[in-house]
Amino acid sequence: MSSPSLLSVLRSPRVWLMLALGFSSGLPLYLTGSTLSAWMTNEGVSLKTIGVFSLVGMSYTFKFAWAPLMDRFFPPFLGRRRGWLVVAQLLLAAALFAMGQVNPRTDAVLMASLAALVAFLSASQDIVADAYRTDLLSEEERALGITTFTLGYRVGMVVAMSVALILSDVIGWKYTYAAMGGFLIVGMVLTEPGLPEKFALLGLPFDDVMLLPAESDVVPSEADTCAGLAPAEPGHDARDPRGRGDRRALERWHARYTAHALAA
């Protein structure tokens, strides 16, 4: 099988969806770091207290500790990856909104607790984002996909720092943090249940937008196999939802399965 051309990779919606995923991953980073420090300085908080607040970012260092748990257990909706993404993003939005309601000078302990929660949720989102990116992109798309993810990550950092500082001077810190939480809706486009089908209705090929069974935890039934929807190649277990068997066969099955579901 010949390798796909650069043009076909550039046309893949999966590659460009990494922009949204990267944006959501990069946005919370400065909101518990440099941006929060600027807010606390503006409120007259001591440098000693600001220095202690820098410890809330330790979650990013130790996220490996709970990463296996997020792979072993997952919410009962949207699958293993998208389920955790929507949970993390909704909780992040709520925590950022709550941070905006707290005065860091008079309620330093509460602010520190909320900042630590945001850092924990952000680190958890990073865990899922890395796994989701690996599941979603084909081998040929990963180089460009990582590039677009990094671009989105950097844009998120710029918004969380430069844009947030500008907004704070116009609407105040309370509404600035609420707006930052609202920006997370950009990443939630990746958790929309009908995303592949909607791209297909726009005329884009299924191969560019499908979600692998490894991510969505969809397992072909015996009836699907008999109907010709599930792969039945020799040596391949059609019940392998984690993609340890023939990955391409699973991809072809998902495309046929989705097309059959739309036709029905």
Side-chain angles (χ1 to χ4, degrees):
M1 180 183 295
S2 61
S3 300
S5 65
L6 177 61
L7 182 60
S8 65
V9 173
L10 287 171
R11 290 181 60 249
S12 172
R14 291 185 296 194
V15 169
W16 297 105
L17 283 174
M18 292 300 103
L19 277 173
L21 186 61
F23 179 84
S24 292
S25 293
L27 185 68
L29 184 62
Y30 279 162
L31 295 176
T32 57
S34 300
T35 303
L36 180 58
S37 296
W39 181 9
M40 297 175 71
T41 301
N42 190 51
E43 293 291 334
V45 178
S46 67
L47 291 177
K48 178 181 178 180
T49 303
I50 294 175
V52 172
F53 265 68
S54 64
L55 296 176
V56 301
M58 295 296 288
S59 294
Y60 294 101
T61 303
F62 295 104
K63 61 184 180 182
F64 67 88
W66 65 91
L69 296 177
M70 297 187 72
D71 189 62
R72 174 63 180 84
F73 305 100
F74 51 92
F77 52 84
L78 291 178
R80 187 181 303 273
R81 310 302 185 204
R82 291 190 295 165
W84 275 125
L85 272 178
V86 72
V87 168
Q89 289 164 356
L90 286 174
L91 291 178
L92 269 172
L96 289 173
F97 178 82
M99 282 183 68
Q101 314 307 305
V102 178
N103 188 318
R105 183 169 57 84
T106 58
D107 298 304
V109 174
L110 178 57
M111 178 62 84
S113 300
L114 290 172
L117 176 60
V118 168
F120 172 79
L121 293 171
S122 178
S124 300
Q125 180 184 222
D126 289 349
I127 292 170
V128 184
D130 290 341
Y132 188 60
R133 186 177 65 239
T134 302
D135 284 351
L136 191 62
L137 299 175
S138 66
E139 184 176 349
E140 297 80 7
E141 295 169 341
R142 284 176 187 167
L144 185 57
I146 292 174
T147 302
T148 55
F149 178 89
T150 304
L151 175 61
Y153 196 96
R154 296 298 181 183
V155 171
M157 292 172 65
V158 170
V159 170
M161 184 64 177
S162 302
V163 175
L165 291 176
I166 294 171
L167 283 176
S168 68
D169 195 46
V170 178
I171 60 177
W173 288 107
K174 175 180 178 180
Y175 296 106
T176 295
Y177 266 72
M180 293 297 111
F183 282 143
L184 285 170
I185 197 172
V186 173
M188 291 183 188
V189 67
L190 286 170
T191 64
E192 189 175 357
L195 186 64
E197 293 83 353
K198 290 182 179 179
F199 270 112
L201 292 175
L202 292 174
L204 295 172
F206 276 108
D207 287 344
D208 285 341
V209 295
M210 66 183 180
L211 301 178
L212 299 180
E215 185 279 322
S216 58
D217 298 313
V218 178
V219 183
S221 64
E222 292 183 5
D224 294 331
T225 304
C226 295
L229 295 175
E233 284 89 339
H236 169 66
D237 185 0
R239 296 167 297 176
D240 177 14
R242 296 293 296 158
R244 288 184 289 264
D246 184 346
R247 179 186 177 94
R248 292 298 180 186
L250 284 171
E251 292 178 351
R252 291 194 297 273
W253 166 76
H254 194 279
R256 292 196 298 269
Y257 188 90
T258 309
H260 177 76
L262 282 176

